[in-house]
Amino acid sequence: MASKLEALGRWVDDVAALTRPARVHWCDGSDGEYQGLLQQMLHDGDLIELNQQTHPGCYLHRSDPADVARVEHLTFVCHPQQHDSGPNNHWMAPAEAHAKIDALFDGCMAGRTLYVIPYCMGPIDSPLARCGVEITDSPYVVANMRIMTRMGAAALARIEREGTFVKGLHSTGELDPERRFIMHFPAERTIKSYGSGYGGNALLGKKCHALRIASDQARHEGWLAEHMLIVGIENPAGETHYIAAAFPSACGKTNLAMLIPPEGYRRDGWKVWTVGDDICWMHPGNDGQLYAINPEAGFFGVAPGTSGSTNPNALESISHDTIFTNVAVTADNQPWWEGLPGTPATDWQGRPYDPANGPAAHPNSRFTVRARQCPTWSPQAEAPQGVPISAIVFGGRRPALLPLVMEARDWSHGVLMGAAMGSETTAAATGAVGVLRRDSMAMKPFCGYHYGDYFAHWLSFDQPAAKLPKIFHVNWFRKDPSGAFLWPGFGDNMRVLEWMIERVTGRARGRQTAIGILPATGELKLEGLALDQHQLDQLLAVNVAGWQAEIAAIGEYLESFTPRLPERLHQEQRRVAEALASTASSPQREAATP
Ligand code: OXD
Ligand code: MN
């Protein structure tokens, strides 16, 4: 074995000595290997063949009913010093965490195969990409990693060249929720995950590596690892602007990444290109712009709600060669979930469908599919240098107060907008209704270090030579007093993206307010939309008293990160509070520059 792979070989030997598998398989990422895994899982009952006439190459996996989601309360970020993990993470001392989880790994692969999965997050030749190796005893994980990452021989060759990689050790274990941990050791660039086969807990390249470990690595190396989609908007002149957007879950990231513009736009020649739907790594380029790659090669999307009206591109992507997890099936064995036409015959647990048992598909049921199967997949998604980012968007589910769109006046204000973002709970979710949960940059479950340091890292990009993207905040979820959504969303979000591009290119002037820059009258293109003036006014109103309460609440939230809260963010919060106060004392100045 070549010298740069010696450390990898030694680690695999050590893990095998601890977990004692019956055999070790080094994954090469080939088609033959993938087909062999599928056959083995069909034979063992880990996969069920779906209707091969309607859905060629599609299979269903039913997970343990107690293992269907990420487990944030069992997820730890173990920096040597607790204060480096911050109040935003659970912490355990690294030695204690290793001892606890290694005791679970002891002998856990007896009789099973240990798979070694070398993978690359990002285009294989990209200097922005980073490699990892996941060891797992789950063939389902191997098959999903092959879809979600560049996995196998090419990744191993890069690891051999570079000698560095993130180590991830996973075992499905006994799936006992009492014996389940997802541990991260950022200083050791190591992940250990035991007791869950669910995607976010088990596909270690995704949330564990590409967000929690990578965010910490990015901080040290001067880049950003973010929970953002990346979408390219091409105008009729053939110019493409790339937008990176962060939203908490259940806010439609995959739909926005695959948006189909309204008919008038399509007729005029506008096009949308999908680069990524969940994770974005952004590096400053030599020209001062931020360049982004999607570190993933596939989509691990939520199935329910995906339909011909909400996301036809996703639906087309998953019509073949897709692994479905915890969806229902129809009488003729097609995958089914709430939002699709037709009726389910069998629910996600394999029981005959009975509405008394709840939804037919699990609300967190998923599809895993190669990104290149998406009709709008951007050729630039494979570009080693990444795509230049024109705009960064933050957003959440806010039934009131937050306007449809607003632009930050500068980078610091934009960082404040991202730090303050949140989503309100709805009647559909358990717990109290209308409770606002702050989720800074949509990274609350994924930031691998102290949020105060993370905000400081964001602020540090504001350098004299930098040509930073403009930052916006959107809210697709405003409701009128009767509880109806004010904005149609989905494809019509294109109208808001177009205004952002008009701002980036200097073609729209906007309207300066205390909370940021909003579209001036007539700047949002609304042709073909059934939206009356009153609705538009509500969507773009600045309720000064409401905002004064909001900015005070933001101030309190930020205080929870003292003493690591950067003073600049604090100043920015005070500046907006003062601009609101002067607007309140002379309302005619609402249009004043903040
Ligand atoms: C998530 C996901 O939980 O993308 O955010 O799966
Ligand atoms: Mn996500």
Side-chain angles (χ1 to χ4, degrees):
M1 189 168 285
S3 63
K4 287 253 179 90
L5 288 181
E6 264 166 29
L8 171 56
R10 269 198 309 277
W11 175 56
V12 173
D13 290 346
D14 290 349
V15 169
L18 175 66
T19 57
R20 298 193 289 283
R23 60 201 80 78
V24 172
H25 174 88
W26 287 70
C27 299
D28 62 14
S30 64
D31 263 345
E33 178 179 78
Y34 182 68
Q35 294 306 330
L37 280 165
L38 294 181
Q39 290 313 315
Q40 181 199 324
M41 285 190 281
L42 286 167
H43 176 265
D44 296 346
D46 280 344
L47 282 188
I48 297 164
E49 192 171 75
L50 290 166
N51 187 326
Q52 296 298 300
Q53 264 76 53
T54 57
H55 289 78
C58 291
Y59 300 91
L60 167 65
H61 172 77
R62 291 200 183 109
S63 70
D64 185 289
D67 184 34
V68 292
R70 287 187 288 103
V71 283
E72 284 172 26
H73 63 295
L74 299 172
T75 299
F76 290 78
V77 173
C78 308
H79 283 280
Q81 303 296 324
Q82 179 167 9
H83 48 84
D84 288 324
S85 294
N88 44 305
N89 282 304
H90 298 296
W91 178 84
M92 206 182 281
E96 186 193 340
H98 279 300
K100 216 179 191 70
I101 203 161
D102 286 353
L104 299 175
F105 279 117
D106 193 353
C108 73
M109 296 189 190
R112 315 183 64 159
T113 301
L114 178 158
Y115 298 94
V116 182
I117 313 172
Y119 63 86
C120 179
M121 299 309 291
I124 197 86
D125 295 323
S126 171
L128 316 188
R130 297 287 182 276
C131 289
V133 178
E134 174 166 358
I135 293 179
T136 182
D137 56 7
S138 161
Y140 168 81
V141 166
V142 181
N144 276 271
M145 283 290 284
R146 179 164 187 275
I147 298 174
M148 294 303 297
T149 72
R150 282 89 171 165
M151 178 267 254
L156 189 64
R158 179 163 171 163
I159 290 169
E160 180 166 17
R161 229 171 33 244
E162 295 180 339
T164 53
F165 60 96
V166 169
K167 289 182 195 151
L169 171 55
H170 167 258
S171 171
T172 313
E174 315 83 340
L175 295 174
D176 176 354
E178 303 302 317
R179 286 160 62 83
R180 181 174 293 165
F181 287 108
I182 323 297
M183 308 275 203
H184 303 74
F185 305 91
E188 302 163 41
R189 304 276 182 258
T190 295
I191 305 153
K192 292 185 178 178
S193 166
Y194 183 89
S196 168
Y198 171 73
N201 302 325
L203 310 180
L204 301 185
K206 191 173 179 63
K207 303 297 187 181
C208 300
H209 177 167
L211 287 176
R212 297 196 191 95
I213 297 290
S215 59
D216 185 70
Q217 186 169 15
R219 176 192 176 201
H220 294 286
E221 295 176 1
W223 48 283
L224 289 162
E226 297 300 322
H227 191 201
M228 291 178 175
L229 66 93
I230 310 166
V231 66
I233 309 291
E234 183 180 329
N235 69 14
E239 296 153 4
T240 305
H241 284 274
Y242 294 92
I243 296 176
F247 296 85
S249 38
C251 291
K253 286 218 309 289
T254 305
N255 294 345
L256 188 62
M258 299 180 188
L259 166 152
I260 297 191
E263 208 209 309
Y265 281 85
R266 295 203 302 275
R267 207 180 34 235
D268 291 347
W270 290 82
K271 293 194 183 108
V272 170
W273 297 104
T274 307
V275 180
D277 80 330
D278 195 41
I279 303 181
C280 165
W281 286 359
M282 281 182 287
H283 294 238
N286 293 335
D287 61 359
Q289 294 192 82
L290 286 183
Y291 285 82
I293 57 164
N294 170 11
E296 301 191 280
F299 307 120
F300 181 65
V302 178
T306 305
S307 73
S309 59
T310 60
N311 195 338
N313 282 322
L315 209 58
E316 193 174 327
S317 312
I318 59 183
S319 61
H320 64 100
D321 298 297
T322 301
I323 297 177
F324 293 91
T325 302
N326 294 336
V327 299
V329 288
T330 59
D332 66 347
N333 212 21
Q334 297 191 46
W336 191 91
W337 49 83
E338 279 69 16
L340 283 184
T343 44
T346 307
D347 77 4
W348 65 278
Q349 296 189 58
R351 300 172 298 193
Y353 174 58
D354 177 353
N357 288 331
H362 188 276
N364 194 32
S365 54
R366 299 277 175 153
F367 52 79
T368 320
V369 67
R370 276 272 176 199
R372 61 172 184 245
Q373 290 185 204
C374 179
T376 51
W377 183 235
S378 166
Q380 289 306 309
E382 297 293 339
Q385 74 280 10
V387 294
I389 295 296
S390 299
I392 288 176
V393 179
F394 297 118
R397 191 180 278 274
R398 298 291 299 263
L401 192 68
L402 271 93
L404 176 64
V405 59
M406 57 183 179
E407 178 192 326
R409 70 165 198 170
D410 59 17
W411 186 258
S412 311
H413 185 207
V415 175
L416 177 70
M417 280 182 179
M421 70 183 260
S423 256
E424 279 181 14
T425 52
T426 64
T430 50
V433 171
V435 176
L436 178 70
R437 285 211 198 103
R438 300 273 171 209
D439 183 358
S440 300
M441 282 80 169
M443 284 286 279
K444 167 71 184 68
F446 308 119
C447 180
Y449 60 104
H450 195 299
Y451 250 160
D453 296 335
Y454 172 77
F455 301 146
H457 181 52
W458 263 85
L459 290 168
S460 74
F461 286 81
D462 195 4
Q463 300 291 330
K467 295 199 196 88
L468 293 169
K470 281 187 178 293
I471 299 183
F472 298 85
H473 188 285
V474 299
N475 180 19
W476 314 136
F477 301 95
R478 273 299 287 275
K479 289 185 173 168
D480 69 14
S482 77
F485 285 113
L486 279 164
W487 180 250
F490 300 108
D492 286 304
N493 293 335
M494 177 73 194
R495 302 169 190 275
V496 176
L497 301 184
E498 187 196 0
W499 180 73
M500 291 175 188
I501 294 168
E502 296 282 293
R503 286 290 303 154
V504 166
T505 53
R507 289 193 286 255
R509 291 191 53 231
R511 172 170 70 101
Q512 311 277 345
T513 78
I515 59 166
I517 302 154
L518 274 73
T521 309
E523 283 184 349
L524 269 185
K525 304 243 173 70
L526 299 174
E527 289 90 337
L529 203 61
L531 195 72
D532 63 34
Q533 190 58 44
H534 180 59
Q535 288 169 318
L536 186 63
D537 290 347
Q538 289 178 72
L539 282 166
L540 297 178
V542 180
N543 169 347
V544 175
W547 268 101
Q548 285 183 301
E550 169 77 1
I551 202 76
I554 291 170
E556 272 170 40
Y557 167 71
L558 293 178
E559 282 302 320
S560 67
F561 304 107
T562 12
R564 302 234 182 158
L565 182 72
E567 179 49 27
R568 219 165 108 206
L569 208 55
H570 211 180
Q571 278 166 9
E572 195 55 36
Q573 184 267 348
R574 282 197 301 265
R575 185 193 61 72
V576 178
E578 279 156 23
L580 283 161
S582 63
T583 305
S585 61
S586 56
Q588 70 277 15
R589 288 179 49 200
E590 198 242 19
T593 305

